[in-house]
Amino acid sequence: MKFDFQSFLHYILFSFMVCVASGFALAQGQNAADTSSGDAGQSWTATTQQQLPSNFNPTRTSESHTQAGGRTVDNQSIEAMGVDGRYSPYLDVQKETVKVDANTVRTIERSFGRDSDGRKMLVQVTEVEKHSLPGGEVKVTRSTSDPDANGVLQLVQRDVQDIRQISPTVQETKSTFLTPSSNGGLIASEQTTERETKTSDHTVEFHKSTSLLDSNGSWQVNEVREGAIKDDGKNRTKEESVLRPGTDGNLSVVERTVSKESQNTAGEKRATVETYVSDPTSPADGLRLEQRVITVHRKSDDGVQSTDKQIEQRNPGQPSDGLRVTEQAIDIVRPGAGGATRETQTIRSLDSNGELGVVSVDTRKQVNSPAVQVDIAPAKPQAAGPGH
């Protein structure tokens, strides 16, 4: 059976979205590891076995993570089963984060694929450098390079971000997205400006404007996202409206999202995200509820954690019928000896009979190891690449 790259990427994307939703609940109550601190060395390895639908070949993913002395290294290797029933390397991702100095953190991510003969080849390099300046200003530069026909890396895009604290209650982030121009080099093709304003102890209002270059080389507002976040430490609500220009050039609301997160006395955490889209026939505000995502996280006394995510959507053929469950993901993490964990994720999707059928079952085992000592050598000077 031939391995379908595009379908595989679609599956990986959906699984990633599920993991993000599960991670929301798992991350609450835990302190995220700060890769810039570096002193608390830690490492782990994990293997995930994916049982895909019958028209896909199974895949197997191996991951490792080491952190020590200001350097973090993450490796991920994905193998796909071939027609001979044996696993073969398919995609490798290597990510290294180094604390260059007290104010600078650099992350380099390299992705390797396989050519027609199965040889490993570099397909993309992404470098992110975060630099903290006096006064609280932060500059982040993200550069992505792809190899050309001769295997020489060529800069294909760059994102430059400037974060400033305008006042004690206002933070502004300006980003410029650059892509290759017809004359060589890079040219700005997108700009965003975002402001977050703290209006009270528990409320932050935000406004993000995205502009694109028109045919005359002038910047035109393409989208505005605005709303507010309310968080009292126990409950969190986010309301966001998306505005885009209509045929008359004026901005109007085309989408609205309402997100709510809460935790009850039993420790159960629940997140609900409702998405409303433009509908001129709606008698209220011209918006119609189009999708609802509900994520519930529970932890039992024996340490077992479970996350249940359900996606409700309208039937495109009969939109007046209201929402129905179209996808479900159940994630269960069981603790083991020595800090090891075993995780099972089951994904179900609506079939042609209107029933939720199992489309994949992933089994993941993670083993935590003692701290790994990483040799920290002085960073070597790097030659400037194209566009640098």
Side-chain angles (χ1 to χ4, degrees):
M1 186 180 295
K2 185 178 179 181
F3 189 77
D4 189 327
F5 179 74
Q6 294 295 332
S7 299
F8 172 69
L9 287 183
H10 175 77
Y11 166 78
I12 292 295
L13 178 60
F14 176 69
S15 297
F16 172 75
M17 293 173 63
V18 171
C19 290
V20 168
S22 301
F24 137 76
L26 292 171
Q28 293 192 39
Q30 300 178 1
N31 293 322
D34 182 358
T35 57
S36 64
S37 63
D39 291 331
Q42 56 180 323
S43 65
W44 53 259
T45 60
T47 302
T48 303
Q49 179 75 35
Q50 289 130 351
Q51 300 176 25
L52 303 175
S54 57
N55 60 323
F56 293 101
N57 287 19
T59 64
R60 183 169 61 194
T61 302
S62 299
E63 298 171 272
S64 66
H65 171 91
T66 60
Q67 179 181 329
R71 175 176 292 181
T72 302
V73 179
D74 290 281
N75 290 296
Q76 182 185 67
S77 177
I78 299 177
E79 298 175 297
M81 184 177 289
V83 293
D84 57 357
R86 301 175 63 181
Y87 283 101
S88 299
Y90 186 72
L91 178 67
D92 294 290
V93 180
Q94 300 174 354
K95 182 178 180 181
E96 180 181 19
T97 300
V98 179
K99 185 176 181 181
V100 180
D101 54 41
N103 301 311
T104 306
V105 176
R106 181 184 298 129
T107 299
I108 300 178
E109 182 175 303
R110 299 178 178 88
S111 298
F112 299 87
R114 296 295 187 279
D115 62 16
S116 57
D117 295 322
R119 292 188 295 258
K120 188 176 181 178
M121 61 178 185
L122 182 66
V123 295
Q124 190 171 83
V125 175
T126 300
E127 181 174 338
V128 181
E129 185 164 294
K130 180 179 179 181
H131 189 61
S132 301
L133 301 174
E137 182 179 357
V138 178
K139 288 185 176 294
V140 181
T141 302
R142 178 188 298 270
S143 303
T144 301
S145 301
D146 293 345
D148 59 15
N150 298 317
V152 179
L153 287 174
Q154 300 291 331
L155 189 63
V156 296
Q157 65 183 40
R158 174 176 288 160
D159 183 12
V160 181
Q161 192 176 69
D162 188 3
I163 306 171
R164 297 173 180 264
Q165 195 70 35
I166 304 300
S167 72
T169 59
V170 180
Q171 178 177 281
E172 182 180 76
T173 301
K174 290 187 176 181
S175 300
T176 302
F177 187 74
L178 302 99
T179 52
S181 69
S182 56
N183 300 323
L186 299 177
I187 185 174
S189 59
E190 179 180 311
Q191 291 183 342
T192 64
T193 300
E194 182 174 8
R195 280 204 173 196
E196 294 185 351
T197 304
K198 188 175 182 180
T199 57
S200 70
D201 290 341
H202 305 300
T203 304
V204 174
E205 296 181 353
F206 61 91
H207 182 281
K208 181 179 180 180
S209 176
T210 301
S211 299
L212 304 177
L213 282 176
D214 62 15
S215 57
N216 298 320
S218 301
W219 291 104
Q220 300 292 333
V221 176
N222 176 258
E223 182 182 88
V224 171
R225 291 176 177 265
E226 58 185 15
I229 300 174
K230 298 180 180 180
D231 190 343
D232 61 5
K234 295 182 179 180
N235 301 293
R236 184 177 188 272
T237 302
K238 177 181 178 181
E239 296 189 11
E240 179 182 71
S241 295
V242 180
L243 299 87
R244 297 192 181 101
T247 54
D248 57 0
N250 295 324
L251 292 172
S252 60
V253 178
V254 297
E255 183 178 296
R256 182 169 176 262
T257 303
V258 179
S259 307
K260 297 181 180 180
E261 300 174 9
S262 62
Q263 179 175 339
N264 62 22
T265 55
E268 178 183 280
K269 300 168 185 176
R270 175 181 293 266
T272 302
V273 181
E274 294 183 337
T275 302
Y276 299 79
V277 298
S278 177
D279 181 5
T281 65
S282 176
D285 52 4
L287 297 172
R288 179 188 72 235
L289 178 60
E290 187 69 15
Q291 177 179 278
R292 180 185 293 118
V293 181
I294 301 175
T295 306
V296 179
H297 176 74
R298 301 179 179 90
K299 183 176 182 179
S300 60
D301 294 337
D302 58 1
V304 176
Q305 299 187 61
S306 65
T307 303
D308 187 336
K309 174 185 176 183
Q310 293 189 10
I311 300 178
E312 303 175 4
Q313 295 174 311
R314 290 183 181 272
N315 183 348
Q318 298 177 328
S320 60
D321 288 351
L323 302 182
R324 59 175 182 171
V325 178
T326 58
E327 294 173 1
Q328 181 184 32
I330 301 174
D331 190 277
I332 301 176
V333 181
R334 294 180 172 86
T341 59
R342 187 173 184 84
E343 178 179 3
T344 302
Q345 183 185 90
T346 304
I347 297 178
R348 306 168 66 199
S349 183
L350 203 63
D351 58 24
S352 56
N353 298 320
E355 301 292 336
L356 285 176
V358 175
V359 297
S360 71
V361 178
D362 295 357
T363 302
R364 173 188 175 93
K365 183 178 181 180
Q366 179 171 317
V367 179
N368 297 324
S369 306
V372 174
Q373 297 300 319
V374 180
D375 183 21
I376 305 300
K380 296 181 180 180
Q382 295 184 349
H388 287 267

